[in-house]
């Protein structure tokens, strides 16, 4: 069994809502509200959910790009939330991020050579001619040419810019990369190229990925396991194929029903599940199960009690009071932390 590289325990991120003459805190946006999961060396975990569920905030909180409100992020046995600035700076060599927007994530005033080489300079790994050689090698590894070093971001297509973002993340040879919607801003034909590139890099360098996405078809293709997030909480975690074939939470079932069928005429049509109502506000989430206001299977207990994230089969966890009743009988092993 592979060693756990990253463990996230009860991670919380609340944003204050201020108002009035003195800008007093009136409430909190509960963007991430106690999520837990782990990633093994060389593994890819997908974090999925609709827009506004808190998945991108979770990714940034894990890297301390924004400071978490509470919880633990344990990387190679060290809780990085306890690290001082200098030690955290050193650790960033092993934890990198690929941003969603390839247009906004690159400085338009810097050449590609400066953008990709900046991490090497900051961490005093290479400079001068040696740095240029390293940058040229990295660019070739992601499908670009060494002469691209002298160009600026506006001279590249969206797919090429995302390759530049991947090259920048790869420059320090990290152990884990958080990919925040890495292909959502790209054309479909380019998406496949970038996904294949990420998989090739994982095979070559043993990188672990946390892939944040709302596209289940992309996540199924690239991920070993999938965690489903709703309104700041994780509601289901399972092996990718297991979750796609046998969802055990009503929200996951609804998400999967929205995935387009490649060829409806050839069979395999599925009934679309239309969720009633809007996503509740994260400032004042519903009591009990947060999904109960939109759940077609809800009962009285759903509004009264928070369902624990519990094991229902080997490696498959879900937070639903009636997972066995709705989706078939299974033996529960009790509540656990993911």
């Amino acid at each position: 069994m592979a060693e756990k590289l990253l463990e996230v325990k009860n991670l919380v991120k609340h944003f204050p809502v201020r108002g009035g003459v003195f800008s007093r805190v009136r409430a909190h946006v509960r963007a991430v509200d106690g999520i837990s999961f782990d990633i093994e060396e060389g593994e890819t975990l997908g974090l999925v959910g609709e827009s506004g569920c808190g998945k991108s905030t979770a990714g940034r909180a894990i890297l301390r790009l924004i400071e978490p409100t509470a919880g633990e992020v344990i990387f190679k046995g060290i809780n990085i939330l306890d690290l001082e600035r200098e030690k955290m700076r050193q650790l960033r060599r092993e934890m990198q991020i690929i941003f969603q927007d390839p247009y906004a994530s690159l400085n338009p005033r810097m050449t590609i050579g400066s953008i990709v080489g900046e991490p090497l300079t900051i961490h005093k790994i290479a400079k001068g001619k040696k740095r240029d050689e390293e940058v040229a090698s990295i660019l070739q590894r992601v499908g670009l040419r060494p002469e691209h070093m002298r160009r600026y971001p506006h001279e590249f297509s969206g797919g090429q810019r995302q390759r530049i973002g991947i090259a920048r993340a790869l420059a320090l040879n990290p152990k884990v990369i958080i990919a925040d919607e890495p292909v959502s801003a790209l054309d479909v034909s380019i998406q496949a190229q970038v996904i294949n590139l990420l998989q090739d890099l994982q095979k070559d360098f043993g990188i672990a990925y946390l892939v944040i996405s709302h596209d289940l078809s992309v996540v199924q293709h690239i991920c070993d396991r999938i965690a489903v997030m709703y309104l700041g909480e994780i509601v289901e975690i399972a092996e990718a194929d297991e979750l796609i074939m046998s969802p055990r939470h009503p929200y996951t079932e609804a998400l999967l029903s929205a995935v387009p069928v490649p060829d409806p005429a050839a069979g395999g049509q599925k009934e679309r599940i239309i969720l009633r109502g809007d996503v509740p506000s994260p400032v004042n989430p519903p009591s009990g199960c947060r999904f109960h206001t939109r759940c077609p299977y809800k009962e009285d207990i759903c509004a009264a009690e928070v369902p624990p994230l519990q094991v229902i089969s080997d490696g498959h966890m879900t937070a639903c009071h009636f997972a066995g009743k709705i989706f078939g009988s299974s033996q529960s092993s009790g509540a656990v932390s993911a």
Side-chain angles (χ1 to χ4, degrees), residues 29-303:
V29 177
R30 301 169 69 171
V32 179
D33 215 13
I35 66 171
S36 300
F37 59 83
D38 58 68
I39 302 176
E40 297 177 353
E41 292 186 359
E43 182 187 25
T44 301
L45 174 69
L47 186 60
V48 303
E50 57 195 328
S51 297
C53 70
K55 54 189 187 295
S56 291
T57 300
R60 284 164 169 75
I62 289 169
L63 294 180
R64 290 184 65 181
L65 298 180
I66 55 176
E67 287 295 330
T69 304
E72 294 179 288
V73 178
I74 300 173
F75 178 71
K76 296 171 69 173
I78 301 171
N79 183 8
I80 69 173
L81 303 188
D82 293 336
L83 296 181
E84 297 179 354
R85 183 173 181 177
E86 181 58 30
K87 290 186 177 180
M88 186 64 210
R89 178 174 169 273
Q90 295 173 9
L91 190 66
R92 290 196 189 282
R93 294 178 57 170
E94 301 189 78
M95 304 177 71
Q96 291 291 309
I97 185 169
I98 300 169
F99 293 99
Q100 175 179 356
D101 188 350
Y103 296 89
S105 63
L106 303 177
N107 189 332
R109 295 184 176 88
M110 296 175 67
T111 64
I112 301 311
S114 297
I115 290 171
V116 178
E118 187 176 31
L120 300 175
T121 301
I122 290 174
H123 290 275
K124 301 178 181 179
I125 295 173
K127 61 181 180 179
K129 184 178 180 180
K130 184 179 179 182
R131 190 191 78 158
D132 291 343
E133 291 173 351
E134 288 283 345
V135 170
S137 176
I138 295 167
L139 290 178
Q140 287 182 306
R141 189 64 192 83
V142 300
L144 298 173
R145 297 194 299 271
E147 54 265 33
H148 288 156
M149 291 172 57
R150 294 183 291 275
R151 297 183 185 178
Y152 290 85
H154 72 271
E155 300 179 71
F156 295 89
S157 67
Q160 288 175 317
R161 293 187 196 191
Q162 194 62 295
R163 289 174 186 269
I164 294 166
I166 294 171
R168 177 175 57 186
L170 195 66
L172 296 174
N173 193 23
K175 297 295 184 184
V176 60
I177 291 178
I178 295 179
D180 186 5
E181 300 274 11
V183 297
S184 65
L186 307 178
D187 294 337
V188 175
S189 60
I190 305 300
Q191 288 183 7
Q193 296 176 19
V194 173
I195 289 172
N196 290 336
L197 172 61
L198 291 173
Q199 290 181 310
D200 290 342
L201 293 173
Q202 185 175 52
K203 291 176 183 177
D204 293 343
F205 300 104
I207 303 168
Y209 291 125
L210 173 62
V211 177
I212 298 168
S213 180
H214 64 274
D215 190 335
L216 275 166
S217 59
V218 169
V219 170
Q220 180 187 13
H221 180 73
I222 195 174
C223 295
D224 301 304
R225 291 186 298 137
I226 300 174
V228 181
M229 197 168 175
Y230 181 78
L231 207 62
E233 296 182 341
I234 288 179
V235 297
E236 187 166 11
I237 302 178
E239 298 289 333
D241 291 340
E242 166 75 10
L243 185 134
I244 298 298
M245 298 301 297
S246 303
R248 296 300 183 92
H249 193 281
Y251 178 61
T252 308
E253 180 188 41
L255 286 181
L256 290 170
S257 77
V259 177
V261 177
D263 186 7
Q269 298 96 328
K270 48 191 174 183
E271 182 181 354
R272 177 70 187 273
I273 299 173
I274 306 297
L275 297 177
R276 304 295 180 183
D278 296 325
V279 180
S281 170
V283 175
N284 186 26
S287 61
C289 174
R290 294 188 176 182
F291 185 62
H292 85 265
T293 57
R294 306 169 73 196
C295 182
Y297 309 108
K298 66 181 178 182
E299 297 187 18
D300 291 343
I301 190 175
C302 299

